[in-house]
Protein backbone atom coordinates (compact mmCIF):
# COMPACT_ATOMS: atom_id res chain seq x y z
CA UNK A 1 0.00 0.00 0.00
CA UNK A 2 1.10 3.59 -0.49
CA UNK A 3 3.26 4.88 2.32
CA UNK A 4 4.45 1.47 3.44
CA UNK A 5 8.22 0.83 3.56
CA UNK A 6 9.53 -2.46 2.21
CA UNK A 7 11.56 -4.43 4.73
CA UNK A 8 12.93 -7.03 2.28
CA UNK A 9 16.64 -6.89 1.49
CA UNK A 10 17.89 -6.67 -2.08
CA UNK A 11 18.95 -10.00 -3.57
CA UNK A 12 22.09 -10.23 -5.65
CA UNK A 13 22.06 -12.60 -8.60
CA UNK A 14 25.39 -14.05 -9.70
CA UNK A 15 26.77 -16.53 -12.19
CA UNK A 16 30.05 -18.39 -11.69
CA UNK A 17 31.39 -19.84 -14.95
CA UNK A 18 34.17 -21.78 -13.20
CA UNK A 19 34.42 -24.94 -11.18
CA UNK A 20 37.28 -26.88 -9.60
CA UNK A 21 37.83 -30.38 -10.98
CA UNK A 22 40.52 -31.59 -8.59
CA UNK A 23 43.64 -33.55 -9.45
CA UNK A 24 47.32 -32.76 -8.99
CA UNK A 25 50.28 -32.20 -11.30
CA UNK A 26 54.02 -31.81 -10.73
CA UNK A 27 57.27 -31.47 -12.67
CA UNK A 28 60.94 -31.93 -11.77
CA UNK A 29 63.95 -30.82 -13.84
CA UNK A 30 67.16 -32.86 -13.90
CA UNK A 31 70.56 -32.33 -15.45
CA UNK A 32 69.55 -33.78 -18.83
CA UNK A 33 65.90 -34.72 -18.34
CA UNK A 34 62.54 -33.50 -17.09
CA UNK A 35 59.75 -35.47 -15.42
CA UNK A 36 56.15 -34.23 -15.68
CA UNK A 37 53.34 -36.14 -13.99
CA UNK A 38 49.65 -35.91 -13.19
CA UNK A 39 46.85 -38.09 -11.88
CA UNK A 40 43.81 -38.97 -13.99
CA UNK A 41 40.85 -38.36 -11.64
CA UNK A 42 38.36 -35.63 -12.57
CA UNK A 43 35.87 -34.76 -9.85
CA UNK A 44 33.57 -32.04 -8.60
CA UNK A 45 32.90 -31.96 -4.91
CA UNK A 46 32.26 -35.53 -3.76
CA UNK A 47 31.37 -36.76 -7.26
CA UNK A 48 33.89 -38.46 -9.54
CA UNK A 49 33.05 -37.45 -13.10
CA UNK A 50 35.61 -39.74 -14.75
CA UNK A 51 38.53 -41.87 -13.64
CA UNK A 52 40.58 -41.14 -16.75
CA UNK A 53 41.00 -37.47 -17.61
CA UNK A 54 44.65 -36.85 -18.64
CA UNK A 55 46.23 -33.69 -17.29
CA UNK A 56 49.63 -34.02 -19.02
CA UNK A 57 50.02 -33.43 -22.76
CA UNK A 58 52.98 -33.77 -25.11
CA UNK A 59 53.52 -30.62 -27.17
CA UNK A 60 56.80 -31.38 -28.98
CA UNK A 61 59.72 -33.78 -28.57
CA UNK A 62 61.21 -31.24 -26.15
CA UNK A 63 58.17 -29.95 -24.28
CA UNK A 64 55.31 -31.41 -22.21
CA UNK A 65 52.51 -29.33 -20.66
CA UNK A 66 50.57 -30.23 -17.50
CA UNK A 67 47.31 -28.38 -16.78
CA UNK A 68 45.14 -28.44 -13.66
CA UNK A 69 42.07 -26.58 -12.45
CA UNK A 70 38.88 -26.20 -14.50
CA UNK A 71 39.01 -29.18 -16.87
CA UNK A 72 37.09 -27.54 -19.75
CA UNK A 73 39.40 -24.50 -19.72
CA UNK A 74 42.43 -26.76 -19.52
CA UNK A 75 41.43 -28.85 -22.54
CA UNK A 76 40.65 -25.77 -24.62
CA UNK A 77 43.90 -24.08 -23.62
CA UNK A 78 45.98 -27.11 -24.62
CA UNK A 79 44.15 -27.20 -27.96
CA UNK A 80 44.98 -23.53 -28.63
CA UNK A 81 48.64 -23.94 -27.63
CA UNK A 82 49.00 -26.92 -29.94
CA UNK A 83 47.45 -24.91 -32.74
CA UNK A 84 49.94 -22.09 -32.28
CA UNK A 85 52.83 -24.56 -32.23
CA UNK A 86 51.57 -26.12 -35.46
CA UNK A 87 51.51 -22.70 -37.13
CA UNK A 88 55.10 -22.13 -35.98
CA UNK A 89 56.16 -25.54 -37.31
CA UNK A 90 54.69 -24.79 -40.74
CA UNK A 91 56.26 -21.33 -40.87
CA UNK A 92 59.77 -22.26 -39.64
CA UNK A 93 60.10 -25.98 -40.44
CA UNK A 94 61.13 -26.74 -36.85
CA UNK A 95 59.65 -27.04 -33.39
CA UNK A 96 59.44 -24.02 -31.12
CA UNK A 97 62.04 -24.14 -28.30
CA UNK A 98 60.70 -24.54 -24.79
CA UNK A 99 61.78 -21.04 -23.73
CA UNK A 100 59.67 -19.57 -26.53
CA UNK A 101 56.76 -21.87 -25.64
CA UNK A 102 56.87 -20.52 -22.08
CA UNK A 103 56.67 -16.95 -23.39
CA UNK A 104 53.84 -17.95 -25.76
CA UNK A 105 51.83 -19.42 -22.88
CA UNK A 106 52.46 -16.28 -20.84
CA UNK A 107 51.08 -14.00 -23.55
CA UNK A 108 48.07 -16.26 -24.19
CA UNK A 109 47.16 -16.30 -20.51
CA UNK A 110 47.71 -12.58 -19.99
CA UNK A 111 45.58 -11.75 -23.03
CA UNK A 112 42.65 -13.35 -21.18
CA UNK A 113 43.36 -11.73 -17.83
CA UNK A 114 39.89 -10.12 -17.55
CA UNK A 115 38.16 -13.47 -18.15
CA UNK A 116 41.04 -15.90 -17.53
CA UNK A 117 41.48 -19.56 -18.19
CA UNK A 118 41.06 -21.07 -14.73
CA UNK A 119 44.06 -23.37 -15.08
CA UNK A 120 47.46 -23.70 -13.47
CA UNK A 121 50.06 -24.74 -16.02
CA UNK A 122 53.44 -26.42 -15.57
CA UNK A 123 55.66 -26.70 -18.64
CA UNK A 124 58.54 -29.17 -18.57
CA UNK A 125 61.09 -30.29 -21.10
CA UNK A 126 64.58 -29.75 -22.47
CA UNK A 127 66.13 -26.30 -22.75
CA UNK A 128 69.08 -25.47 -24.99
CA UNK A 129 70.37 -22.73 -22.76
CA UNK A 130 73.91 -22.02 -23.84
CA UNK A 131 75.88 -25.16 -23.02
CA UNK A 132 77.83 -26.44 -26.00
CA UNK A 133 80.32 -29.12 -26.90
CA UNK A 134 82.54 -28.38 -29.88
CA UNK A 135 84.03 -31.00 -32.14
CA UNK A 136 87.19 -29.42 -33.52
CA UNK A 137 88.95 -30.92 -36.52
CA UNK A 138 92.17 -29.41 -37.75
CA UNK A 139 95.18 -30.36 -39.87
CA UNK A 140 98.77 -29.36 -39.15
CA UNK A 141 101.31 -29.15 -41.94
CA UNK A 142 105.04 -28.79 -41.34
CA UNK A 143 108.22 -29.21 -43.34
CA UNK A 144 109.22 -32.09 -41.10
CA UNK A 145 105.79 -33.82 -40.75
CA UNK A 146 103.36 -35.28 -43.23
CA UNK A 147 99.88 -33.74 -42.91
CA UNK A 148 98.32 -34.94 -39.67
CA UNK A 149 94.71 -34.65 -38.62
CA UNK A 150 93.63 -34.37 -35.02
CA UNK A 151 90.10 -34.51 -33.64
CA UNK A 152 89.40 -32.96 -30.29
CA UNK A 153 86.29 -32.74 -28.15
CA UNK A 154 86.32 -30.18 -25.38
CA UNK A 155 84.29 -27.44 -23.73
CA UNK A 156 83.61 -24.37 -25.78
CA UNK A 157 85.48 -22.27 -23.24
CA UNK A 158 88.69 -23.55 -24.81
CA UNK A 159 87.71 -21.86 -28.05
CA UNK A 160 88.18 -18.47 -26.40
CA UNK A 161 91.94 -19.01 -26.23
CA UNK A 162 94.20 -17.06 -28.54
CA UNK A 163 94.10 -18.04 -32.21
CA UNK A 164 97.87 -17.63 -32.27
CA UNK A 165 98.01 -21.21 -30.98
CA UNK A 166 96.96 -22.26 -34.49
CA UNK A 167 99.89 -20.66 -36.33
CA UNK A 168 100.52 -23.76 -38.42
CA UNK A 169 96.89 -24.74 -38.74
CA UNK A 170 95.75 -24.80 -42.33
CA UNK A 171 92.19 -26.13 -41.92
CA UNK A 172 89.83 -25.62 -39.02
CA UNK A 173 86.28 -27.00 -38.89
CA UNK A 174 83.95 -26.41 -35.94
CA UNK A 175 80.75 -28.25 -35.16
CA UNK A 176 78.90 -26.83 -32.15
CA UNK A 177 76.45 -29.25 -30.58
CA UNK A 178 74.02 -27.84 -28.00
CA UNK A 179 73.67 -29.71 -24.74
CA UNK A 180 70.09 -29.80 -23.46
CA UNK A 181 69.26 -29.35 -19.79
CA UNK A 182 66.04 -30.02 -17.92
CA UNK A 183 63.71 -27.05 -17.47
CA UNK A 184 60.43 -26.48 -15.63
CA UNK A 185 58.25 -23.37 -15.97
CA UNK A 186 55.25 -22.78 -13.68
CA UNK A 187 52.39 -20.38 -14.46
CA UNK A 188 49.48 -18.82 -12.62
CA UNK A 189 46.13 -18.33 -14.43
CA UNK A 190 46.97 -14.80 -15.67
CA UNK A 191 50.46 -15.49 -17.02
CA UNK A 192 52.99 -14.83 -14.27
CA UNK A 193 55.68 -17.50 -14.60
CA UNK A 194 59.18 -18.50 -13.56
CA UNK A 195 61.69 -21.24 -14.21
CA UNK A 196 62.16 -23.64 -11.32
CA UNK A 197 63.74 -26.97 -10.44
CA UNK A 198 60.42 -28.45 -9.29
CA UNK A 199 56.79 -27.40 -8.86
CA UNK A 200 53.49 -28.98 -7.85
CA UNK A 201 49.99 -27.61 -8.44
CA UNK A 202 46.43 -28.67 -7.87
CA UNK A 203 44.30 -30.06 -5.08
CA UNK A 204 47.19 -31.72 -3.20
CA UNK A 205 49.76 -28.98 -3.78
CA UNK A 206 49.95 -28.25 -0.04
CA UNK A 207 50.87 -31.91 0.54
CA UNK A 208 53.26 -32.46 -2.36
CA UNK A 209 55.20 -29.19 -2.58
CA UNK A 210 56.74 -29.38 0.93
CA UNK A 211 57.86 -32.92 0.14
CA UNK A 212 59.53 -31.73 -3.09
CA UNK A 213 61.12 -28.78 -1.27
CA UNK A 214 62.72 -31.23 1.13
CA UNK A 215 63.78 -33.87 -1.39
CA UNK A 216 64.73 -31.72 -4.41
CA UNK A 217 65.80 -28.41 -2.83
CA UNK A 218 67.02 -30.15 0.37
CA UNK A 219 65.19 -27.65 2.57
CA UNK A 220 65.58 -28.20 6.33
CA UNK A 221 68.42 -30.64 5.76
CA UNK A 222 72.06 -30.37 6.74
CA UNK A 223 74.69 -32.15 4.63
CA UNK A 224 77.20 -34.44 6.26
CA UNK A 225 80.50 -32.79 7.21
CA UNK A 226 82.73 -32.32 4.20
CA UNK A 227 79.93 -32.97 1.70
CA UNK A 228 77.37 -30.93 -0.19
CA UNK A 229 74.00 -31.63 -1.72
CA UNK A 230 73.93 -32.43 -5.46
CA UNK A 231 72.62 -29.78 -7.83
CA UNK A 232 70.54 -32.36 -9.71
CA UNK A 233 69.24 -35.78 -8.69
CA UNK A 234 69.53 -38.72 -11.10
CA UNK A 235 66.46 -40.01 -12.90
CA UNK A 236 66.60 -43.26 -10.93
CA UNK A 237 66.00 -41.21 -7.77
CA UNK A 238 63.44 -38.77 -9.21
CA UNK A 239 60.98 -41.37 -10.52
CA UNK A 240 60.41 -43.08 -7.12
CA UNK A 241 59.96 -39.60 -5.56
CA UNK A 242 57.23 -38.80 -8.08
CA UNK A 243 55.41 -42.08 -7.50
CA UNK A 244 55.68 -41.70 -3.72
CA UNK A 245 54.34 -38.13 -3.95
CA UNK A 246 51.15 -39.24 -5.69
CA UNK A 247 50.75 -42.38 -3.58
CA UNK A 248 50.82 -40.35 -0.37
CA UNK A 249 48.61 -37.60 -1.83
CA UNK A 250 46.03 -40.23 -2.84
CA UNK A 251 45.91 -41.51 0.73
CA UNK A 252 45.17 -38.05 2.13
CA UNK A 253 43.12 -36.24 -0.55
CA UNK A 254 39.83 -37.39 -2.04
CA UNK A 255 40.34 -35.45 -5.30
CA UNK A 256 43.53 -37.32 -6.26
CA UNK A 257 43.67 -40.91 -7.44
CA UNK A 258 42.70 -43.56 -10.01
CA UNK A 259 45.73 -43.39 -12.28
CA UNK A 260 49.14 -41.76 -12.70
CA UNK A 261 50.80 -40.69 -15.96
CA UNK A 262 54.50 -39.80 -15.85
CA UNK A 263 56.16 -38.21 -18.88
CA UNK A 264 59.95 -38.34 -19.11
CA UNK A 265 61.72 -36.05 -21.59
CA UNK A 266 65.36 -36.93 -22.24
CA UNK A 267 67.96 -34.66 -23.83
CA UNK A 268 69.90 -35.85 -26.85
CA UNK A 269 72.56 -38.30 -25.72
CA UNK A 270 71.21 -38.45 -22.17
CA UNK A 271 72.91 -40.94 -19.89
CA UNK A 272 69.58 -41.56 -18.12
CA UNK A 273 68.29 -43.72 -20.97
CA UNK A 274 69.89 -46.92 -19.68
CA UNK A 275 67.89 -46.92 -16.46
CA UNK A 276 64.60 -46.23 -18.24
CA UNK A 277 64.61 -49.29 -20.46
CA UNK A 278 64.16 -51.66 -17.51
CA UNK A 279 61.05 -49.92 -16.12
CA UNK A 280 57.84 -51.91 -16.31
CA UNK A 281 55.22 -50.62 -18.75
CA UNK A 282 57.25 -47.78 -20.24
CA UNK A 283 56.25 -46.57 -23.71
CA UNK A 284 58.19 -44.29 -26.05
CA UNK A 285 56.20 -41.55 -27.82
CA UNK A 286 58.92 -40.28 -30.17
CA UNK A 287 59.24 -41.87 -33.59
CA UNK A 288 63.03 -41.78 -33.79
CA UNK A 289 65.90 -42.45 -31.40
CA UNK A 290 67.82 -39.41 -32.65
CA UNK A 291 67.48 -36.14 -30.78
CA UNK A 292 65.29 -35.66 -27.72
CA UNK A 293 63.06 -38.54 -26.66
CA UNK A 294 59.75 -38.66 -24.78
CA UNK A 295 58.54 -41.63 -22.71
CA UNK A 296 55.37 -42.24 -20.73
CA UNK A 297 54.99 -44.44 -17.65
CA UNK A 298 51.54 -45.36 -16.31
CA UNK A 299 50.75 -46.56 -12.81
CA UNK A 300 47.54 -47.30 -10.94
CA UNK A 301 46.53 -45.30 -7.87
CA UNK A 302 43.81 -45.99 -5.30
CA UNK A 303 40.30 -45.75 -6.71
CA UNK A 304 38.34 -45.11 -3.52
Amino acid sequence: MPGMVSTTQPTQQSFNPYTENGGTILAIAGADFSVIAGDTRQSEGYSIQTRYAPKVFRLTDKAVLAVNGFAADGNMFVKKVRQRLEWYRHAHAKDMPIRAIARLIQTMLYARRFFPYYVYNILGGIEEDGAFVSHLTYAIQSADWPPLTYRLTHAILLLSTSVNWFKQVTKVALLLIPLGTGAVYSFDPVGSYEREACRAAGAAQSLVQPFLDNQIYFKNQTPAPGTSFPKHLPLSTVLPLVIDSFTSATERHIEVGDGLEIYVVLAKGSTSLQGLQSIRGIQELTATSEGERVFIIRRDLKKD
Side-chain angles (χ1 to χ4, degrees), residues 51-188:
R51 297 188 184 274
Y52 184 70
K55 299 177 179 64
V56 188
F57 305 89
R58 174 190 168 202
L59 300 180
T60 69
D61 288 346
K62 296 182 181 181
V64 173
L65 180 64
V67 297
N68 185 259
F70 182 26
D73 272 0
N75 292 333
M76 181 56 63
F77 184 72
V78 171
K79 179 179 179 180
K80 288 183 176 295
V81 171
R82 282 176 165 171
Q83 183 183 56
R84 296 287 292 270
L85 295 180
E86 188 70 18
W87 293 349
Y88 182 94
R89 192 176 298 114
H90 289 319
H92 301 279
K94 65 178 183 179
D95 287 331
M96 185 182 293
I98 190 172
R99 183 180 301 172
I101 296 176
R103 176 64 69 176
L104 170 67
I105 292 175
Q106 187 267 336
T107 56
M108 293 177 66
L109 292 173
Y110 188 71
R112 288 284 302 269
R113 64 192 179 279
F114 296 118
F115 192 9
Y117 293 105
Y118 184 39
V119 288
Y120 292 85
N121 296 277
I122 301 178
L123 177 68
I126 301 300
E127 178 84 270
E128 295 177 3
D129 51 2
F132 285 88
V133 166
S134 65
H135 294 277
L136 175 61
T137 302
Y138 62 92
I140 297 180
Q141 290 181 344
S142 172
D144 299 328
W145 302 346
L148 299 177
T149 300
Y150 298 82
R151 186 168 183 83
L152 301 179
T153 301
H154 53 79
I156 196 172
L157 290 176
L158 295 180
L159 298 180
S160 62
T161 58
S162 173
V163 294
N164 293 330
W165 189 80
F166 298 105
K167 286 182 178 180
Q168 292 182 312
V169 174
T170 59
K171 182 180 180 182
V172 178
L174 293 178
L175 176 61
L176 300 181
I177 301 177
L179 296 178
T181 58
V184 167
Y185 294 89
S186 61
F187 302 79
D188 74 357

Side-chain angles (χ1 to χ4, degrees), residues 4 9 11 17 27 40 67-68 128 133 139 147 150 157 171 173 192-193 223 227 257 262 268 284-285 293:
M4 293 186 63
Q9 298 295 322
T11 302
T40 62
V67 297
N68 185 259
E128 295 177 3
V133 166
Y150 298 82
L157 290 176
K171 182 180 180 182
S192 299
Y193 77 105
T227 65
I262 306 172
K268 182 178 180 180
E284 183 169 3
L285 301 181
R293 302 175 71 174

Side-chain angles (χ1 to χ4, degrees), residues 231-252:
K231 184 177 180 181
H232 297 290
L233 294 177
L235 183 59
S236 58
T237 302
V238 170
L239 286 177
L241 288 178
V242 172
I243 296 174
D244 289 346
S245 297
F246 279 92
T247 301
S248 59
T250 302
E251 294 286 347
R252 288 293 183 179

Side-chain angles (χ1 to χ4, degrees), residues 1-37:
M1 295 180 63
M4 293 186 63
V5 178
S6 175
T7 58
T8 60
Q9 298 295 322
T11 302
Q12 180 180 359
Q13 303 294 334
S14 62
F15 167 68
N16 182 10
Y18 300 115
T19 188
E20 176 64 54
N21 292 123
T24 297
I25 56 175
L26 68 79
I28 301 173
D32 57 358
F33 66 88
S34 286
V35 176
I36 308 94

